[in-house]
Amino acid sequence: MQTRSERTRGKAASTEGGRRTRDRILHAAAELMFQQGVAGTSIPDVQRRARASASQIYHYFGDKKGLTAAVIEYQSTVKLEQQRPLLDHLDSIDALRAWCEGAAVRLDAVHCAGGCEIGSLASELSDVDPSARLGLATGFAAWQNAIESGLARMRERGDLEADEDVSALAVALLAAIQGGMLLSQVNRDATPYRRAVNVVIDHIADRVEAARGARLANP
């Protein structure tokens, strides 16, 4: 059951003005937490960036923990929606390569600074905030599901064997993406990211070739 303060915040944010104010605060908090970490971001920092009062921040989010939870959900949702056209069609080797290379190009553009918005939050919060960890796990699960759905369609078409573990392949690719981004961030070079994801995609391509060979051998 919602508390009285939670009901009040929800009602306020349902008005047009309330939504704009809440969104402005959330966007500012997301930027700051990505740039300087959650621990390094204070409520006064968010006030200044969002041009909002402390009472507005507490009204909409309750406290910094509530604001952080909202940022996690925001980053997970925004990043998925930004890439939705590609994520909805990850059902070929070419599509997987194009999607992953798009991220590499973005890394190049910022000289590999900052890393992944969700990955950065996970590195900082997973061991110190159980509720944040669950929110981050949900965000990563959405990415995994998008990859897995594309691979499952490949399996349904016969591009992959019927017993192919597409869940394991999706986890491997997501891990390569996150690990590759971290290594690229510390090296300021997107090469580790490209190598990591290409090894996994090459493996998936090999599985596609194996499935094709099996079909030819057993027409």
Side-chain angles (χ1 to χ4, degrees), residues 25-26 29-31 33 66-76 121:
I25 294 168
L26 186 54
E31 285 185 338
M33 289 180 183
L67 179 59
T68 302
V71 166
I72 291 170
E73 182 179 3
Y74 169 81
Q75 292 286 32
S76 299
L121 289 167

Side-chain angles (χ1 to χ4, degrees), residues 44-98:
D45 289 336
V46 179
Q47 286 179 246
R48 288 188 290 272
R49 178 69 66 89
R51 302 183 307 282
S53 66
S55 61
Q56 286 175 313
I57 294 173
Y58 289 114
H59 183 68
Y60 292 119
F61 301 100
D63 53 20
K64 185 178 176 182
K65 187 171 183 177
L67 179 59
T68 302
V71 166
I72 291 170
E73 182 179 3
Y74 169 81
Q75 292 286 32
S76 299
T77 301
V78 165
K79 294 307 165 186
L80 277 172
E81 289 308 311
Q82 285 177 345
Q83 299 185 48
R84 181 58 63 190
L86 290 174
L87 288 173
D88 287 343
H89 298 91
L90 295 180
D91 54 0
S92 71
I93 298 301
D94 286 345
L96 289 169
R97 292 197 193 281

Side-chain angles (χ1 to χ4, degrees), residues 115-136:
C116 169
E117 289 86 344
I118 306 170
S120 297
L121 289 167
S123 296
E124 182 177 2
L125 298 174
S126 292
D127 289 339
V128 297
D129 187 336
S131 62
R133 183 184 63 77
L134 291 175
L136 289 159

